[in-house]
């Protein structure tokens, strides 16, 4: 091991897998955990105190739907007391204005609200939740009234890619500070539904051109963060900014992971925050050290001048598409498996995200 | 085309810059380094940038900030003023700095 292990900066805390929405590209694993597996309040509070001592500066409170945890105010207050910047990542349909006010009083710094569509009918169709759009708008407005900065998160795929300009208008209308135009990452549920969700190349090109232009035009007016779809890029994304480099994930039942999809790599053994201090897992766990730095890399990645830019890309995607987690992410043009990226059959069926797990692959994927 | 009443703030020497409540300047004891925390971002500005940000108290104008820095660092005012304005304009464009005093707006 030649790399330095630096203290972590951020945590994605998946407080629960429960969610009122059923989006077909959910970033949670296919096997969703029931409420009785979730960590108790005391454990979460202890985890966050440990994290602050380790040097964690930001915590993203996510899920599932984090506001389904009745102890969210306590969690936010504990983080705030320890000087940690808190970001609530919510679908907002089950968040009352009273609750939002309490969260703000507890010290919440920022709220990120997802919109499945820029139009009400799209939001309802993708998330399978009645009247979701109006509820989200209500929460966004209430947040701005409380002085909370708002990010609008727009997960983009084939069914809403035409609405990208409308998302920009929506973010401006809601007085948001940031808009995240985040093209869906194809692993887990999204990988399962890839044939129904992956946009066509022309739509992607049009989107990239539009976003590049509008970002420039709205400089100083709206911050637009753009996550382009890596399936059509030449190089992979620097997943997590490098495996176990400065951030980690905690699942609802307390597993500490280098990225939220890491459990798809079945050869890795993960540790629970119930059994071990976070610091020890961060430094010593085999799963964290497996792809940390560059020692693990295949010769192609190791010799690549982009080695320290994209770190070989996403380990989970490499495994899913090549069967080998140490392979170059196939979204990279240098990958011998790069051709597989373009061989995706198309279908119109989207499998809903449900507790209990996905039953089968989407029809077009079975062959 | 999108419609908005918001405008980009164009900063000048008379502008009074401030740090919005959602941007936090803090000394990180673990790394012994100043950090800026903002929505979904952590930044590590250099020493001079931190000095500029510390002086954005919502009362001082950019001219006053430049004057103070020029005398503290014993550096030519014109150079300092240009650097400070450029830095704060960039931060304002990223919505990390807000304008609390007179500024011209660009449509």
């Amino acid at each position: 091991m030649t790399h330095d292990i630096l203290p972590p900066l951020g945590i994605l805390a998946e407080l629960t897998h429960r969610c009122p929405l059923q989006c077909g590209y959910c970033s949670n694993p296919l096997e969703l955990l029931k409420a009785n597996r979730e960590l108790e309040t005391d454990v979460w509070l202890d985890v966050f105190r440990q994290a602050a001592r380790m040097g964690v500066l930001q915590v993203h409170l996510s899920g599932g739907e984090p506001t389904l945890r009745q102890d969210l105010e306590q969690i936010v207050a504990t983080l705030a007391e320890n000087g940690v910047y808190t970001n609530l990542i919510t679908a907002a349909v089950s968040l009352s204005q009273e609750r939002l006010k309490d969260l703000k009083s507890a010290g919440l710094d920022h709220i990120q609200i997802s919109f499945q569509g820029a139009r009400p009918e799209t939001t309802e169709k993708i998330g399978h939740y009645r009247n979701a759009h109006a509820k989200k708008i209500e929460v966004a407005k209430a947040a701005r009234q409380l002085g909370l900065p708002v990010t609008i998160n727009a997960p983009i795929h084939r069914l809403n890619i035409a609405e990208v300009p409308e998302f920009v208008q929506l973010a401006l209308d809601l007085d948001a500070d940031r808009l995240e135009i985040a093209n869906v990452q194809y692993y887990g549920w999204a990988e399962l539904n890839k044939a129904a969700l992956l946009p066509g190349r022309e739509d992607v090109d049009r989107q990239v051109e539009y976003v590049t232009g509008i970002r420039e035009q709205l400089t100083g007016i709206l911050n637009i963060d753009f996550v382009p779809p890596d399936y059509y890029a030449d190089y992979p994304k620097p997943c997590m900014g490098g495996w176990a480099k400065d951030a980690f994930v905690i699942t609802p039942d307390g597993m500490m992971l280098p990225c939220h999809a890491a459990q798809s790599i079945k050869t890795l053994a993960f540790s629970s925050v119930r059994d071990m201090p976070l610091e020890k897992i961060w430094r010593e766990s085999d799963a964290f050290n497996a792809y940390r730095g560059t020692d693990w890399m295949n010769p192609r990645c190791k010799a690549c001048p982009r080695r320290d830019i994209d770190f070989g890309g996403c380990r989970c995607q490499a495994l899913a598409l090549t069967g080998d987690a140490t392979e170059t992410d196939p979204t990279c043009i240098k990958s011998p498996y790069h051709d597989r990226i373009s061989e995706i059959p198309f279908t119109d069926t989207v499998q809903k995200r449900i507790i209990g797990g996905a039953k089968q692959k989407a029809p077009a994927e079975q062959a | 085309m999108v419609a908005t009443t918001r405008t980009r703030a164009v900063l000048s020497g008379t502008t009074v810059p401030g740090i919005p409540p959602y941007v936090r300047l803090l000394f990180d004891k673990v790394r012994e380094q100043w950090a800026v925390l903002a929505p979904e971002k952590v930044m590590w500005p250099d020493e001079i940038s931190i000095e500029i940000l510390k002086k954005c108290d919502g009362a001082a104008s950019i001219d006053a900030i430049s004057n103070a820095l020029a005398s503290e660092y014993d550096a030519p005012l014109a150079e300092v003023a240009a650097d400070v304005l450029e830095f704060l304009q960039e931060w304002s464009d990223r919505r990390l700095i807000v304008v609390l005093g007179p500024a011209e707006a660009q449509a």
Side-chain angles (χ1 to χ4, degrees), chain A residues 265-331:
Chain A
I265 305 177
K266 303 292 182 199
T267 48
L268 296 180
F270 301 98
S271 305
S272 168
V273 298
R274 282 187 190 282
D275 303 329
M276 235 187 268
L278 274 68
E279 174 87 36
K280 192 173 165 69
I281 302 178
W282 176 251
R283 293 186 167 275
E284 296 173 20
S285 128
D286 289 343
F288 276 79
N289 284 321
Y291 309 117
R292 193 176 243 150
T294 52
D295 288 355
W296 61 273
M297 283 183 177
N298 63 65
R300 189 185 315 108
C301 287
K302 205 174 249 181
C304 180
R306 293 182 57 87
R307 184 181 76 177
D308 300 314
I309 299 171
D310 47 38
F311 315 104
C314 171
R315 295 306 87 226
C316 305
Q317 188 153 269
L319 176 72
L321 297 176
T322 75
D324 178 359
T326 64
E327 251 304 335
T328 303
D329 184 336
T331 57

Side-chain angles (χ1 to χ4, degrees), chain A residues 44-69:
Chain A
W44 274 121
L45 298 185
D46 175 55
V47 159
F48 291 133
R49 288 189 194 106
Q50 288 185 50
R53 285 198 297 271
M54 283 169 80
V56 166
L57 296 176
Q58 277 195 333
V59 168
H60 308 280
L61 300 163
S62 180
E65 174 51 49
T67 60
L68 294 180
R69 287 284 304 208

Side-chain angles (χ1 to χ4, degrees), chain A residues 110-113 115 140-141 143-144 148-153 167-180 220-224, chain B residues 4 6 22 95:
Chain A
H110 173 253
I111 183 169
Q112 183 194 113
I113 302 173
F115 276 80
K141 286 184 175 162
R144 291 303 298 126
L148 268 176
V150 171
T151 288
I152 300 297
N153 170 266
F167 274 116
V168 175
Q169 187 63 58
L170 179 72
L172 288 167
D173 291 345
L174 293 174
D175 192 29
D177 292 277
R178 286 176 73 244
L179 168 65
E180 263 182 28
I221 295 172
L222 178 68
N223 286 331
I224 301 178
Chain B
T4 177
R6 284 197 198 164
Y22 54 84
R95 299 174 63 79

Side-chain angles (χ1 to χ4, degrees), chain A residues 152-167:
Chain A
I152 300 297
N153 170 266
I156 303 297
H157 43 78
R158 195 195 313 158
L159 307 176
N160 67 3
I161 194 166
E163 296 176 29
V164 167
E166 292 162 74
F167 274 116

Side-chain angles (χ1 to χ4, degrees), chain A residues 111-140:
Chain A
I111 183 169
Q112 183 194 113
I113 302 173
S114 65
F115 276 80
Q116 286 64 43
R119 302 172 197 161
E121 60 274 22
T122 311
T123 302
E124 191 160 323
K125 186 173 120 192
I126 309 279
H128 302 277
Y129 192 92
R130 265 196 83 181
N131 212 20
H133 201 78
K135 290 194 169 133
K136 288 163 185 284
I137 286 179
E138 222 172 84
V139 173

